[in-house]
Amino acid sequence: MTKALIVIDVQNDFCPGGALAVPEGDKIVPVINRMMQDFETVILTQDWHPSGHSSFASSHDDKAPFETTTMPYGTQVLWPDHCVQGTEGAAFHSDLRTDADMIIRKGFRPHIDSYSAFFENDQTTPTGLQGYLKERGIKDLTIVGLATDFCVAFSALDAVRLGLRVQVELSACRAIDMDGSLNGALDNMENAGVVLGRA
Ligand code: VGL
Ligand code: ZN
């Protein structure tokens, strides 16, 4: 049975010094590089926004980063400008192994954010990852990366919903953790049947 390692958004803007830095985001890089040796298939995701993206607080009047707004698809947290296509902030951490089978980009549609590697935040627009895994007969996933409480959790929850077996290895993840979002995400994942690894 082919197992895939899905590495979520290990990009400069989510590491210390970046625009949307996740505390200790860079600490997981050597852990992930080691884990890659144990998987036949490695897939990286890359948050990849056009400038002026609707998830940026700067695109809205009277909004500050980390406030929320209502989008046609529901509530959306507004972020500092981050992971703008082609910038150094959108590049993978320079120590991350990038000899992966597949890189999936997300968040490139100006009016929809995309936390999950499978569906954008409207929960219907697919990224194509489900089809890729299906064609390759991959049903077992280990998910790691940034941030535990946003892109990792949304990816894991969608994967379970699609009938895949999913483990999230928490030692290779770090969280943004705003307003209890980490505990909420851990509860949601556990209740959905995601196996939480704490190696
Ligand atoms: C992410 C917020 C905005 C993530 C991406 O990778 O968790 N979070 N864009
Ligand atoms: Zn983003």
Side-chain angles (χ1 to χ4, degrees), residues 14 47 49 82 113:
F14 297 124
D47 208 41
H49 300 304
H82 66 279
D113 203 8

Side-chain angles (χ1 to χ4, degrees), residues 34-102:
R34 271 196 303 278
M35 287 179 77
M36 285 178 178
Q37 298 166 8
D38 300 330
F39 289 82
E40 300 106 286
T41 303
V42 175
I43 297 164
L44 308 179
T45 72
Q46 193 170 26
D47 208 41
W48 195 248
H49 300 304
S51 58
H53 191 257
S54 58
S55 75
F56 297 168
S58 64
S59 304
H60 301 260
D61 291 334
D62 311 320
K63 289 288 184 184
F66 308 107
E67 291 180 358
T68 57
T69 191
T70 305
M71 300 285 214
Y73 53 79
T75 303
Q76 168 73 47
V77 179
L78 294 170
W79 304 106
D81 291 24
H82 66 279
C83 296
V84 174
Q85 296 173 2
T87 63
E88 197 47 36
F92 292 113
H93 186 287
S94 59
D95 294 333
L96 183 74
R97 278 182 55 184
T98 55
D99 51 339
D101 288 12
M102 162 85 162

Side-chain angles (χ1 to χ4, degrees), residues 26-169:
D26 55 337
K27 292 266 171 67
I28 63 176
V29 172
V31 183
I32 292 173
N33 285 345
R34 271 196 303 278
M35 287 179 77
M36 285 178 178
Q37 298 166 8
D38 300 330
F39 289 82
E40 300 106 286
T41 303
V42 175
I43 297 164
L44 308 179
T45 72
Q46 193 170 26
D47 208 41
W48 195 248
H49 300 304
S51 58
H53 191 257
S54 58
S55 75
F56 297 168
S58 64
S59 304
H60 301 260
D61 291 334
D62 311 320
K63 289 288 184 184
F66 308 107
E67 291 180 358
T68 57
T69 191
T70 305
M71 300 285 214
Y73 53 79
T75 303
Q76 168 73 47
V77 179
L78 294 170
W79 304 106
D81 291 24
H82 66 279
C83 296
V84 174
Q85 296 173 2
T87 63
E88 197 47 36
F92 292 113
H93 186 287
S94 59
D95 294 333
L96 183 74
R97 278 182 55 184
T98 55
D99 51 339
D101 288 12
M102 162 85 162
I103 297 173
I104 192 134
R105 287 174 165 165
K106 60 186 181 63
F108 50 78
R109 289 185 178 82
H111 300 292
I112 319 182
D113 203 8
S114 186
Y115 295 148
S116 165
F118 291 93
F119 294 98
E120 305 206 357
N121 287 8
D122 62 2
Q123 296 186 316
T124 51
T125 306
T127 63
L129 181 57
Q130 181 188 14
Y132 179 84
L133 296 175
K134 197 170 179 185
E135 283 213 306
R136 294 199 48 188
I138 298 169
K139 299 194 173 106
D140 269 283
L141 305 182
T142 296
I143 304 182
V144 297
L146 304 171
T148 320
D149 40 348
F150 288 91
C151 292
V152 170
F154 277 74
S155 299
L157 292 169
D158 277 348
V160 167
R161 192 158 58 82
L162 295 172
L164 300 162
R165 276 184 293 273
V166 187
Q167 167 149 5
V168 167
E169 179 46 57

